[in-house]
Amino acid sequence: MAVESWDPAATGLQARHRDILNRAVASLETGSIELNDDEQAWLRPAMQLDAAAWQAFSTEHATTTLVAWIKILTLVERDLSGFEAGSRSPVLALLKVLKARNEVPPDLFAWIRSHTTNRFLPYGSLADRL
């Protein structure tokens, strides 16, 4: 009998992803991102999902939640190995949801720029904007 591997993000974003993001946001109150190995294993492949998956996942969540997720994902991508997403960063997809709502906090782009090493944040790639 063969053992099959299962990719937690293969079926898209789920409630487990929401819980991990919310726990990571709460952990920032202690001054650092606290994600155990299992949580990282769930979140790492989700970083590569397309923008449509992130946008569909986020539409039912409040603006304050999306802003918190944008911040945690910006920091996770910068600080944890294997989370680099480049122009596919979910931060861009979440920002698009906030823009569609006309609810982008005025200081959010400056915050992202000052906390990221991803050259595509917060504006995305030029090709995506044409």
Side-chain angles (χ1 to χ4, degrees):
M1 173 184 263
V3 176
E4 295 181 32
S5 64
W6 177 67
D7 180 358
T11 57
L13 293 156
Q14 304 167 10
R16 175 82 169 121
H17 293 101
R18 181 199 62 231
D19 296 343
I20 291 168
L21 289 169
N22 289 339
R23 192 175 109 49
V25 167
S27 75
L28 274 181
E29 294 176 9
T30 65
S32 65
I33 302 168
E34 296 175 13
L35 291 172
N36 63 39
D37 291 341
D38 180 57
E39 291 167 330
Q40 288 187 38
W42 267 80
L43 194 55
R44 194 171 284 115
M47 295 290 288
Q48 298 301 318
L49 291 175
D50 64 14
W54 278 96
Q55 289 167 351
F57 176 70
S58 65
T59 56
E60 65 187 44
H61 294 89
T63 296
T64 54
T65 299
L66 297 185
V67 169
W69 289 357
I70 286 168
K71 289 181 177 183
I72 199 67
L73 290 167
T74 298
L75 296 173
V76 162
E77 190 172 359
R78 181 191 72 186
D79 295 344
L80 300 178
S81 177
F83 283 86
E84 301 82 12
S87 64
R88 293 181 55 100
S89 176
V91 169
L92 298 169
L94 297 177
L95 283 169
K96 192 171 185 175
V97 172
L98 291 181
K99 286 179 192 175
R101 293 180 184 177
N102 199 24
E103 295 181 356
V104 178
D107 60 338
L108 184 58
F109 278 41
W111 186 94
I112 293 169
R113 282 193 308 272
S114 69
H115 289 85
T116 190
T117 55
N118 182 342
R119 66 185 179 108
F120 294 101
L121 297 183
Y123 302 107
S125 72
L126 180 59
D128 292 340
R129 290 185 277 158
L130 295 177

